[in-house]
Amino acid sequence: MNQPLLDVRGLVVEYGHGPGLHRAVDDVSFRIPRGGSLAVVGESGSGKSTIARALVRLVKPAAGSITFDGVDLAGLTERQLRPLRHRIQMVFQDPYGSLDPHLDAQQIVAEPIAVRGERSRSVRERRAAELLDRVGLPRSALHRRPHEFSGGQRQRIGIARALASEPDLLVCDEATSALDVSVQAQVLDILGTLRREQGLTFLFISHNLGVVRAVSDEVLVLRTGRVVEQGPTEEVLQRPRDEYTRRLRRSVLEPALITGRKPREMVRQVAAARAAESAVAS
């Protein structure tokens, strides 16, 4: 009963060959319990998205294990992996580029339902409409194409499409980074509700420590492919041990770097973070 849904051990991912070999992920390990949520944070190029792609086997690890519900995905052939793919779904960073521009919202969400074997068109369309409603899109949006939606609405379609596969694990790769602060909050609220009501397990990839509090139990901080800090979310955010983590937090809480409206809560976080750092320094 204590077995985690996802158990990653000694993960190594490399690109290139010979003198051009680059180790993007170097000996990374973590666990996520069923219904839990882990955020992997770090600057661009730290290896976060490579971890996400390795989990869904868009890239193959050079070493280590990725044990999902007792099965090591790292060593499976594509044929062996196929029955498990629907259980791990990904929400991508680009809410426009990841959607087929030739399909309307209902067709985009119905597609994974068809892949899973549902032959009835009416059943697929009804289920797709229910999922779009679940993420807060109105019925009037069913037959609109991606270019007719805002960025936040397109990301909701991406979430609904991922849910159509009935996953156990949802990997969100910078799912809010292209969105305004207020829209980020809406998408995070949807993800949090899905976790509470459906028991989904989350891996949340982000460069922003400020957005992970709403959806993560634990945080793993990554720098140039290696783990520099890991622990409960509040502990890492309030009392980071590593200077790299402290620098990340300072950049996240710098008002000049925040796009969109600066809510009062964000201003309070800035003041609290700076006061805490002053207390530690003294």
Side-chain angles (χ1 to χ4, degrees), residues 94-109:
D94 184 354
Y96 185 72
S98 62
L99 303 178
D100 188 332
H102 303 294
L103 302 180
D104 63 32
Q106 188 174 43
Q107 291 170 326
I108 288 170
V109 178

Side-chain angles (χ1 to χ4, degrees), residues 106-244:
Q106 188 174 43
Q107 291 170 326
I108 288 170
V109 178
E111 197 170 36
I113 302 172
V115 170
R116 294 208 61 205
E118 179 54 64
R119 296 184 177 182
S120 170
R121 180 177 177 179
S122 62
V123 171
R124 295 196 303 266
E125 291 180 347
R126 183 176 70 250
R127 177 62 176 150
E130 290 171 352
L131 288 168
L132 288 166
D133 179 69
R134 184 73 187 80
V135 298
L137 286 178
R139 294 271 173 166
S140 59
L142 292 178
H143 302 298
R144 288 157 54 190
R145 296 190 178 185
H147 73 273
E148 300 178 80
F149 292 98
S150 68
Q153 289 172 327
R154 288 194 290 262
Q155 198 60 287
R156 292 177 190 223
I157 296 171
I159 294 169
R161 179 182 59 185
L163 294 176
S165 294
E166 299 181 4
D168 298 298
L169 173 65
L170 202 58
V171 180
C172 298
D173 185 11
E174 298 279 14
T176 64
S177 66
L179 308 176
D180 186 86
V181 170
S182 61
V183 182
Q184 282 184 10
Q186 295 170 13
V187 172
L188 291 173
D189 184 61
I190 289 171
L191 294 174
T193 300
L194 289 169
R195 181 186 171 197
R196 290 191 301 271
E197 295 183 356
Q198 297 185 205
L200 280 174
T201 303
F202 279 90
L203 180 83
F204 199 87
I205 303 291
S206 180
H207 68 280
N208 191 333
L209 281 173
V211 304
V212 304
R213 179 180 275 111
V215 291
S216 66
D217 304 318
E218 294 202 357
V219 175
L220 181 151
V221 183
L222 206 65
R223 183 184 187 187
T224 60
R226 297 187 66 87
V227 178
V228 298
E229 188 161 356
Q230 185 173 2
T233 299
E234 287 303 317
E235 182 178 319
V236 172
L237 294 183
Q238 296 296 332
R239 295 178 297 279
R241 300 186 305 274
D242 192 90
E243 173 56 30
Y244 177 74

